[in-house]
Amino acid sequence: MSLLDTSPAGAAPLPRKERRTASALLIFAIIFAGGSLILACFGEMIVPFDPVDSAFIPNMPPPPLRDWPGLLWVAITSTSPEPIHWFGTDSSGFDVFSRVLCAPRIDLTIALAANFLAMLIGIPFGLVAGYFTNPATEFMMRVSDVIQSFPVFISAMILVALGGQSAINVIMALSLLYAPIYVRLTRSEAMAQKSRGMVEASRAIGQSELRIALQHVLPNSIGPSLVQSSVTIGFAILLTAGLSFVGAGVRPPDPEWGLMISTGANDIVLGQWWTSVFPGVAISLTVFSFAVIGDALQRRYDR
Amino acid sequence: MIRRFVLKRLLTGALQMLGLTLAVFFLVRMLPADPVSRLVGLNASPEAYKQAQRSLGLDEPVMTQLLNYLGIGSDSGLLQGDLDVSWVTNAPVLAEIGASLPITLELLTYSFAVTLLFAVPVGVASAANPGKAVDKFVFFYGLFGGSQPEFWWGLLFVLIFFANLGIAPAPLGMISPLLQAPPRVTGFYTLDALIAGDFRAFFDILHHLMLPVLTMVFVLSGPVIKMVRQSMIRAQASDFVLYANAAGLRRKTVTRYAMRAAIAPTITLVGILYGVMLGGAVLVESVFSLGGIGQYAVRSVLAFDYPSIQGIVLVITAISLLIYLLLDILYAIIDPRVVYT
């Protein structure tokens, strides 16, 4: 089926006012995403408690909000004999605050590594499939189609649960499932680049096909993939958390947002909200930040 | 012409399904999971292990297993419409899917209906008032709703509406344990309750579906509203709207014309999302213990139940392929500019 172009590419340009809200939002998103990246590197050094060491006071609620200014003062002047459980403790007595701040180490590492691997697999395949059209690359595209027709969450569950529940396997599974996105993006771009004058010119001066593909077509075909990557990282975080939520991802007691929500789910019916609400807010805002950045990139570079 | 198009699509679909069957079949056997020891336990004697392996058919060469599964050279298999029996429950996989799939379809159908009821007016209003408050809300929500952990929002709704306000039932299934489930006719709980004329059960089921549907609508509305808005803006900028305006037609009439053009891409998106959510509703089903096909998938995957896993992937993919075909046909009915090739 083909469409007689009923879908011009790109969204309509934003009205002036909306652009201002968009940029305020973008600044928030960049700060938040950057903050989570910093936490992924240094989170474990700055938290008050060991994220996997029990404080022996299970199910302790966080201090009431009106006490926070006083407690903050105590914490800053460090006159407190004991660090404070800002977000309370969970049913194992782990400090929720420390675990929420340590989780980017796992969640973001998985998401970034999976996205990077997916690009590493997808972009070369897409380049070859777009630049050289022959039965071999046709077959590659069919394989990519089959992978893309898998139900994503269930396939990820199968790959991780049957492959062994570890962070490495989550990365492998996600990169395999996300690679076809980059194959498609790079391929369609490479096909468009193929007929440009510079390619013909390089061929005329006798450059090899491989060199043309790598030196001229690749740099011009990579843009859409880079724009896409921010969105994919966000989805990878959601998928990682979802997998551990159903028990098919990383294993407890690792500090991981989905796992924390999963253990906190049982407490919610009892009204103990803090064990699942805080990690949820963290995922929600982090993924939202990556979505905002992705959207801004798309507006900037997709014309 | 349309018949040839449908036949061609069904044929390529069948080929795709075959490729998928082979891929899943070899994939689960290539991964380093040991279903036998998961079934008999780690402390089982070597004899018990051997026997379980034989009863699952895992002692045979892989090609023999494949031929048995496909039903080539044996009397029942995939080609005869038999999806084998579950290793955990010993029930036929087809029957287990038949019990769980309608629940997921029911959840999704209600969720998408509510999503459209909410998203279309908001999206149209946003496109009609660029830069106004409603447009800003749509811009924000389109990004926000589409990037949220739905399982966490489900829990949050449970916390608010069940634990705090007490106006929603406990997240423990489709119907209150005190009521009897309506006799099974279609497998769809609400339909079955209506067929049985049991209105108490009917309203109880709707009550139980309230929060799961709210959760789904919350995350699905984001992309749908965004799509409605974009398609409306695109339609309003098109020549036929310009002409209609120039001809002095009433604003209402012009909006109706534009909406007709904008609805086609929206329906496509909803169809694709429906296909995606067949396997993606897992998390919401788990939060509310609905017992749909997603939860069946979680159970089967964690138990290394190969026949169930294979059956679930096949059925979900087959349904999504059918939805895509229906979409393309529907698209041609809505938009006369579409040409089949």
Side-chain angles (χ1 to χ4, degrees), chain B residues 19-56:
Chain B
L20 198 82
T21 312
L22 295 179
V24 178
F25 187 90
F26 288 113
L27 182 73
V28 290
R29 280 164 180 75
M30 255 161 50
L31 291 167
D34 185 357
V36 183
S37 66
R38 177 66 54 112
L39 209 64
V40 295
L42 285 172
N43 298 323
S45 64
E47 294 83 47
Y49 185 92
K50 273 268 156 50
Q51 209 196 332
Q53 195 176 29
R54 199 167 324 121
S55 73
L56 298 183

mmCIF file of all heavy atoms in Angstrom, chain B residues 19-56:
data_model
loop_
_atom_site.group_PDB
_atom_site.id
_atom_site.type_symbol
_atom_site.label_atom_id
_atom_site.label_comp_id
_atom_site.label_asym_id
_atom_site.label_seq_id
_atom_site.Cartn_x
_atom_site.Cartn_y
_atom_site.Cartn_z
ATOM 1 N N GLY B 19 8.637 -17.567 10.039
ATOM 2 C CA GLY B 19 9.953 -17.097 10.460
ATOM 3 C C GLY B 19 9.994 -16.861 11.957
ATOM 4 O O GLY B 19 10.939 -17.253 12.643
ATOM 5 N N LEU B 20 8.926 -16.269 12.457
ATOM 6 C CA LEU B 20 8.843 -15.955 13.877
ATOM 7 C C LEU B 20 8.814 -17.235 14.730
ATOM 8 O O LEU B 20 9.496 -17.335 15.746
ATOM 9 C CB LEU B 20 7.571 -15.150 14.115
ATOM 10 C CG LEU B 20 7.531 -14.395 15.417
ATOM 11 C CD1 LEU B 20 8.290 -13.107 15.248
ATOM 12 C CD2 LEU B 20 6.104 -14.109 15.788
ATOM 13 N N THR B 21 8.027 -18.225 14.257
ATOM 14 C CA THR B 21 7.942 -19.493 14.981
ATOM 15 C C THR B 21 9.324 -20.113 15.117
ATOM 16 O O THR B 21 9.736 -20.526 16.211
ATOM 17 C CB THR B 21 7.030 -20.476 14.225
ATOM 18 O OG1 THR B 21 5.831 -19.813 13.875
ATOM 19 C CG2 THR B 21 6.732 -21.687 15.073
ATOM 20 N N LEU B 22 10.038 -20.156 13.986
ATOM 21 C CA LEU B 22 11.377 -20.747 14.016
ATOM 22 C C LEU B 22 12.282 -19.946 14.938
ATOM 23 O O LEU B 22 13.017 -20.509 15.754
ATOM 24 C CB LEU B 22 11.970 -20.785 12.606
ATOM 25 C CG LEU B 22 11.229 -21.686 11.615
ATOM 26 C CD1 LEU B 22 11.883 -21.628 10.248
ATOM 27 C CD2 LEU B 22 11.200 -23.122 12.130
ATOM 28 N N ALA B 23 12.214 -18.604 14.826
ATOM 29 C CA ALA B 23 13.082 -17.758 15.644
ATOM 30 C C ALA B 23 12.840 -18.015 17.127
ATOM 31 O O ALA B 23 13.786 -18.234 17.892
ATOM 32 C CB ALA B 23 12.840 -16.290 15.312
ATOM 33 N N VAL B 24 11.566 -18.025 17.549
ATOM 34 C CA VAL B 24 11.276 -18.221 18.968
ATOM 35 C C VAL B 24 11.669 -19.631 19.408
ATOM 36 O O VAL B 24 12.268 -19.824 20.469
ATOM 37 C CB VAL B 24 9.782 -17.972 19.258
ATOM 38 C CG1 VAL B 24 9.480 -18.232 20.723
ATOM 39 C CG2 VAL B 24 9.394 -16.568 18.889
ATOM 40 N N PHE B 25 11.354 -20.589 18.553
ATOM 41 C CA PHE B 25 11.644 -21.980 18.902
ATOM 42 C C PHE B 25 13.128 -22.179 19.196
ATOM 43 O O PHE B 25 13.498 -22.759 20.219
ATOM 44 C CB PHE B 25 11.213 -22.889 17.742
ATOM 45 C CG PHE B 25 11.315 -24.356 18.051
ATOM 46 C CD1 PHE B 25 10.243 -25.022 18.612
ATOM 47 C CD2 PHE B 25 12.487 -25.050 17.794
ATOM 48 C CE1 PHE B 25 10.341 -26.361 18.916
ATOM 49 C CE2 PHE B 25 12.587 -26.384 18.096
ATOM 50 C CZ PHE B 25 11.511 -27.052 18.658
ATOM 51 N N PHE B 26 13.986 -21.672 18.293
ATOM 52 C CA PHE B 26 15.426 -21.864 18.503
ATOM 53 C C PHE B 26 15.963 -20.938 19.582
ATOM 54 O O PHE B 26 16.855 -21.308 20.329
ATOM 55 C CB PHE B 26 16.186 -21.671 17.193
ATOM 56 C CG PHE B 26 15.977 -22.801 16.233
ATOM 57 C CD1 PHE B 26 15.295 -22.621 15.052
ATOM 58 C CD2 PHE B 26 16.434 -24.079 16.549
ATOM 59 C CE1 PHE B 26 15.082 -23.683 14.187
ATOM 60 C CE2 PHE B 26 16.224 -25.150 15.701
ATOM 61 C CZ PHE B 26 15.546 -24.948 14.508
ATOM 62 N N LEU B 27 15.385 -19.748 19.671
ATOM 63 C CA LEU B 27 15.856 -18.789 20.677
ATOM 64 C C LEU B 27 15.726 -19.363 22.087
ATOM 65 O O LEU B 27 16.686 -19.378 22.861
ATOM 66 C CB LEU B 27 15.056 -17.495 20.568
ATOM 67 C CG LEU B 27 15.499 -16.404 21.527
ATOM 68 C CD1 LEU B 27 16.817 -15.817 21.065
ATOM 69 C CD2 LEU B 27 14.460 -15.305 21.622
ATOM 70 N N VAL B 28 14.534 -19.884 22.437
ATOM 71 C CA VAL B 28 14.362 -20.367 23.812
ATOM 72 C C VAL B 28 15.270 -21.564 24.080
ATOM 73 O O VAL B 28 15.709 -21.780 25.206
ATOM 74 C CB VAL B 28 12.893 -20.742 24.134
ATOM 75 C CG1 VAL B 28 12.029 -19.511 24.212
ATOM 76 C CG2 VAL B 28 12.339 -21.759 23.183
ATOM 77 N N ARG B 29 15.582 -22.330 23.024
ATOM 78 C CA ARG B 29 16.445 -23.495 23.255
ATOM 79 C C ARG B 29 17.926 -23.134 23.263
ATOM 80 O O ARG B 29 18.753 -23.892 23.773
ATOM 81 C CB ARG B 29 16.152 -24.559 22.198
ATOM 82 C CG ARG B 29 14.907 -25.341 22.567
ATOM 83 C CD ARG B 29 14.337 -26.132 21.417
ATOM 84 N NE ARG B 29 13.144 -26.850 21.831
ATOM 85 C CZ ARG B 29 11.958 -26.286 22.028
ATOM 86 N NH1 ARG B 29 11.815 -24.992 21.856
ATOM 87 N NH2 ARG B 29 10.920 -26.997 22.414
ATOM 88 N N MET B 30 18.260 -21.973 22.661
ATOM 89 C CA MET B 30 19.652 -21.552 22.643
ATOM 90 C C MET B 30 20.057 -20.894 23.958
ATOM 91 O O MET B 30 21.206 -20.950 24.360
ATOM 92 C CB MET B 30 19.865 -20.550 21.514
ATOM 93 C CG MET B 30 20.592 -21.100 20.303
ATOM 94 S SD MET B 30 20.309 -20.041 18.884
ATOM 95 C CE MET B 30 20.697 -18.440 19.565
ATOM 96 N N LEU B 31 19.102 -20.235 24.612
ATOM 97 C CA LEU B 31 19.430 -19.526 25.847
ATOM 98 C C LEU B 31 19.747 -20.532 26.946
ATOM 99 O O LEU B 31 19.168 -21.627 26.982
ATOM 100 C CB LEU B 31 18.261 -18.631 26.246
ATOM 101 C CG LEU B 31 18.045 -17.444 25.315
ATOM 102 C CD1 LEU B 31 16.709 -16.785 25.573
ATOM 103 C CD2 LEU B 31 19.159 -16.431 25.484
ATOM 104 N N PRO B 32 20.669 -20.155 27.842
ATOM 105 C CA PRO B 32 21.162 -21.137 28.819
ATOM 106 C C PRO B 32 20.209 -21.412 29.976
ATOM 107 O O PRO B 32 20.633 -21.477 31.112
ATOM 108 C CB PRO B 32 22.454 -20.479 29.315
ATOM 109 C CG PRO B 32 22.186 -19.027 29.189
ATOM 110 C CD PRO B 32 21.348 -18.863 27.972
ATOM 111 N N ALA B 33 18.930 -21.557 29.727
ATOM 112 C CA ALA B 33 18.005 -21.882 30.808
ATOM 113 C C ALA B 33 17.812 -23.397 30.833
ATOM 114 O O ALA B 33 17.877 -24.048 29.802
ATOM 115 C CB ALA B 33 16.671 -21.193 30.567
ATOM 116 N N ASP B 34 17.587 -23.936 32.026
ATOM 117 C CA ASP B 34 17.362 -25.369 32.136
ATOM 118 C C ASP B 34 15.947 -25.630 32.647
ATOM 119 O O ASP B 34 15.700 -25.639 33.854
ATOM 120 C CB ASP B 34 18.387 -25.992 33.088
ATOM 121 C CG ASP B 34 18.258 -27.510 33.116
ATOM 122 O OD1 ASP B 34 17.340 -28.030 32.452
ATOM 123 O OD2 ASP B 34 19.057 -28.150 33.814
ATOM 124 N N PRO B 35 14.986 -25.825 31.739
ATOM 125 C CA PRO B 35 13.590 -25.992 32.167
ATOM 126 C C PRO B 35 13.390 -27.255 32.984
ATOM 127 O O PRO B 35 12.506 -27.298 33.840
ATOM 128 C CB PRO B 35 12.811 -26.044 30.846
ATOM 129 C CG PRO B 35 13.806 -26.379 29.811
ATOM 130 C CD PRO B 35 15.123 -25.871 30.286
ATOM 131 N N VAL B 36 14.221 -28.278 32.743
ATOM 132 C CA VAL B 36 14.016 -29.538 33.453
ATOM 133 C C VAL B 36 14.270 -29.358 34.942
ATOM 134 O O VAL B 36 13.447 -29.725 35.781
ATOM 135 C CB VAL B 36 14.924 -30.644 32.875
ATOM 136 C CG1 VAL B 36 14.652 -31.948 33.569
ATOM 137 C CG2 VAL B 36 14.707 -30.769 31.377
ATOM 138 N N SER B 37 15.410 -28.718 35.267
ATOM 139 C CA SER B 37 15.698 -28.574 36.696
ATOM 140 C C SER B 37 14.773 -27.555 37.334
ATOM 141 O O SER B 37 14.491 -27.622 38.530
ATOM 142 C CB SER B 37 17.169 -28.211 36.923
ATOM 143 O OG SER B 37 17.442 -26.944 36.404
ATOM 144 N N ARG B 38 14.270 -26.587 36.544
ATOM 145 C CA ARG B 38 13.283 -25.659 37.095
ATOM 146 C C ARG B 38 12.025 -26.422 37.491
ATOM 147 O O ARG B 38 11.362 -26.118 38.468
ATOM 148 C CB ARG B 38 12.980 -24.587 36.033
ATOM 149 C CG ARG B 38 11.925 -23.557 36.352
ATOM 150 C CD ARG B 38 12.261 -22.610 37.493
ATOM 151 N NE ARG B 38 13.497 -21.884 37.434
ATOM 152 C CZ ARG B 38 13.582 -20.562 37.279
ATOM 153 N NH1 ARG B 38 12.516 -19.845 37.104
ATOM 154 N NH2 ARG B 38 14.746 -19.979 37.291
ATOM 155 N N LEU B 39 11.734 -27.503 36.717
ATOM 156 C CA LEU B 39 10.508 -28.265 36.953
ATOM 157 C C LEU B 39 10.669 -29.268 38.097
ATOM 158 O O LEU B 39 9.795 -29.395 38.951
ATOM 159 C CB LEU B 39 10.117 -28.993 35.661
ATOM 160 C CG LEU B 39 8.641 -29.260 35.456
ATOM 161 C CD1 LEU B 39 7.888 -27.954 35.337
ATOM 162 C CD2 LEU B 39 8.432 -30.108 34.208
ATOM 163 N N VAL B 40 11.813 -30.003 38.116
ATOM 164 C CA VAL B 40 11.956 -31.058 39.128
ATOM 165 C C VAL B 40 12.697 -30.564 40.369
ATOM 166 O O VAL B 40 12.773 -31.284 41.360
ATOM 167 C CB VAL B 40 12.692 -32.295 38.560
ATOM 168 C CG1 VAL B 40 11.868 -32.934 37.476
ATOM 169 C CG2 VAL B 40 14.071 -31.918 38.058
ATOM 170 N N GLY B 41 13.242 -29.353 40.320
ATOM 171 C CA GLY B 41 13.994 -28.855 41.463
ATOM 172 C C GLY B 41 15.462 -29.225 41.338
ATOM 173 O O GLY B 41 15.830 -30.165 40.622
ATOM 174 N N LEU B 42 16.310 -28.446 42.057
ATOM 175 C CA LEU B 42 17.752 -28.627 41.903
ATOM 176 C C LEU B 42 18.258 -29.891 42.596
ATOM 177 O O LEU B 42 19.298 -30.425 42.261
ATOM 178 C CB LEU B 42 18.480 -27.397 42.460
ATOM 179 C CG LEU B 42 18.407 -26.167 41.567
ATOM 180 C CD1 LEU B 42 18.978 -24.970 42.279
ATOM 181 C CD2 LEU B 42 19.135 -26.414 40.246
ATOM 182 N N ASN B 43 17.487 -30.382 43.590
ATOM 183 C CA ASN B 43 17.979 -31.518 44.365
ATOM 184 C C ASN B 43 17.461 -32.852 43.847
ATOM 185 O O ASN B 43 17.584 -33.875 44.513
ATOM 186 C CB ASN B 43 17.579 -31.365 45.836
ATOM 187 C CG ASN B 43 18.212 -30.128 46.428
ATOM 188 O OD1 ASN B 43 19.343 -29.807 46.098
ATOM 189 N ND2 ASN B 43 17.468 -29.438 47.285
ATOM 190 N N ALA B 44 16.839 -32.842 42.656
ATOM 191 C CA ALA B 44 16.271 -34.076 42.130
ATOM 192 C C ALA B 44 17.384 -35.065 41.779
ATOM 193 O O ALA B 44 18.491 -34.673 41.434
ATOM 194 C CB ALA B 44 15.432 -33.783 40.896
ATOM 195 N N SER B 45 17.069 -36.346 41.881
ATOM 196 C CA SER B 45 18.049 -37.369 41.539
ATOM 197 C C SER B 45 18.251 -37.379 40.027
ATOM 198 O O SER B 45 17.374 -36.942 39.284
ATOM 199 C CB SER B 45 17.540 -38.730 41.988
ATOM 200 O OG SER B 45 16.368 -39.054 41.272
ATOM 201 N N PRO B 46 19.404 -37.862 39.567
ATOM 202 C CA PRO B 46 19.657 -37.907 38.118
ATOM 203 C C PRO B 46 18.579 -38.688 37.372
ATOM 204 O O PRO B 46 18.223 -38.346 36.251
ATOM 205 C CB PRO B 46 21.014 -38.614 38.021
ATOM 206 C CG PRO B 46 21.647 -38.410 39.338
ATOM 207 C CD PRO B 46 20.550 -38.318 40.347
ATOM 208 N N GLU B 47 18.029 -39.738 38.012
ATOM 209 C CA GLU B 47 17.005 -40.539 37.324
ATOM 210 C C GLU B 47 15.743 -39.703 37.118
ATOM 211 O O GLU B 47 15.138 -39.712 36.046
ATOM 212 C CB GLU B 47 16.643 -41.801 38.133
ATOM 213 C CG GLU B 47 17.759 -42.813 38.280
ATOM 214 C CD GLU B 47 18.708 -42.441 39.418
ATOM 215 O OE1 GLU B 47 18.223 -42.102 40.513
ATOM 216 O OE2 GLU B 47 19.934 -42.462 39.195
ATOM 217 N N ALA B 48 15.335 -38.999 38.182
ATOM 218 C CA ALA B 48 14.131 -38.159 38.080
ATOM 219 C C ALA B 48 14.330 -37.098 37.008
ATOM 220 O O ALA B 48 13.420 -36.805 36.221
ATOM 221 C CB ALA B 48 13.826 -37.503 39.420
ATOM 222 N N TYR B 49 15.556 -36.536 36.973
ATOM 223 C CA TYR B 49 15.877 -35.516 35.975
ATOM 224 C C TYR B 49 15.722 -36.081 34.572
ATOM 225 O O TYR B 49 15.064 -35.513 33.709
ATOM 226 C CB TYR B 49 17.312 -35.039 36.209
ATOM 227 C CG TYR B 49 17.743 -33.896 35.323
ATOM 228 C CD1 TYR B 49 17.586 -32.587 35.742
ATOM 229 C CD2 TYR B 49 18.310 -34.142 34.079
ATOM 230 C CE1 TYR B 49 17.972 -31.537 34.931
ATOM 231 C CE2 TYR B 49 18.708 -33.105 33.259
ATOM 232 C CZ TYR B 49 18.541 -31.801 33.696
ATOM 233 O OH TYR B 49 18.932 -30.765 32.886
ATOM 234 N N LYS B 50 16.315 -37.280 34.367
ATOM 235 C CA LYS B 50 16.257 -37.944 33.060
ATOM 236 C C LYS B 50 14.814 -38.183 32.640
ATOM 237 O O LYS B 50 14.423 -37.975 31.502
ATOM 238 C CB LYS B 50 17.001 -39.288 33.128
ATOM 239 C CG LYS B 50 18.480 -39.175 32.850
ATOM 240 C CD LYS B 50 18.764 -39.379 31.366
ATOM 241 C CE LYS B 50 20.064 -38.730 30.927
ATOM 242 N NZ LYS B 50 21.219 -39.079 31.800
ATOM 243 N N GLN B 51 14.022 -38.626 33.635
ATOM 244 C CA GLN B 51 12.645 -38.969 33.303
ATOM 245 C C GLN B 51 11.844 -37.725 32.918
ATOM 246 O O GLN B 51 11.077 -37.747 31.954
ATOM 247 C CB GLN B 51 11.982 -39.672 34.489
ATOM 248 C CG GLN B 51 10.904 -40.622 34.025
ATOM 249 C CD GLN B 51 9.985 -41.019 35.145
ATOM 250 O OE1 GLN B 51 10.399 -41.023 36.305
ATOM 251 N NE2 GLN B 51 8.756 -41.361 34.807
ATOM 252 N N ALA B 52 12.061 -36.654 33.674
ATOM 253 C CA ALA B 52 11.350 -35.421 33.349
ATOM 254 C C ALA B 52 11.769 -34.927 31.967
ATOM 255 O O ALA B 52 10.935 -34.490 31.166
ATOM 256 C CB ALA B 52 11.647 -34.357 34.402
ATOM 257 N N GLN B 53 13.071 -35.059 31.702
ATOM 258 C CA GLN B 53 13.579 -34.621 30.405
ATOM 259 C C GLN B 53 12.891 -35.398 29.286
ATOM 260 O O GLN B 53 12.499 -34.828 28.267
ATOM 261 C CB GLN B 53 15.086 -34.860 30.356
ATOM 262 C CG GLN B 53 15.766 -34.133 29.228
ATOM 263 C CD GLN B 53 17.267 -34.310 29.272
ATOM 264 O OE1 GLN B 53 17.768 -35.330 29.754
ATOM 265 N NE2 GLN B 53 17.981 -33.326 28.778
ATOM 266 N N ARG B 54 12.709 -36.712 29.512
ATOM 267 C CA ARG B 54 12.077 -37.540 28.497
ATOM 268 C C ARG B 54 10.608 -37.140 28.340
ATOM 269 O O ARG B 54 10.095 -37.039 27.234
ATOM 270 C CB ARG B 54 12.207 -39.023 28.849
ATOM 271 C CG ARG B 54 11.987 -39.923 27.658
ATOM 272 C CD ARG B 54 12.419 -41.365 27.926
ATOM 273 N NE ARG B 54 13.593 -41.502 28.756
ATOM 274 C CZ ARG B 54 13.609 -42.164 29.925
ATOM 275 N NH1 ARG B 54 12.496 -42.704 30.394
ATOM 276 N NH2 ARG B 54 14.717 -42.258 30.610
ATOM 277 N N SER B 55 9.935 -36.899 29.458
ATOM 278 C CA SER B 55 8.506 -36.604 29.355
ATOM 279 C C SER B 55 8.262 -35.248 28.693
ATOM 280 O O SER B 55 7.218 -35.030 28.093
ATOM 281 C CB SER B 55 7.842 -36.665 30.727
ATOM 282 O OG SER B 55 8.230 -35.549 31.478
ATOM 283 N N LEU B 56 9.228 -34.324 28.794
ATOM 284 C CA LEU B 56 9.070 -33.043 28.105
ATOM 285 C C LEU B 56 9.496 -33.132 26.643
ATOM 286 O O LEU B 56 9.297 -32.201 25.874
ATOM 287 C CB LEU B 56 9.914 -31.952 28.790
ATOM 288 C CG LEU B 56 9.589 -31.621 30.233
ATOM 289 C CD1 LEU B 56 10.475 -30.487 30.715
ATOM 290 C CD2 LEU B 56 8.134 -31.229 30.382
#
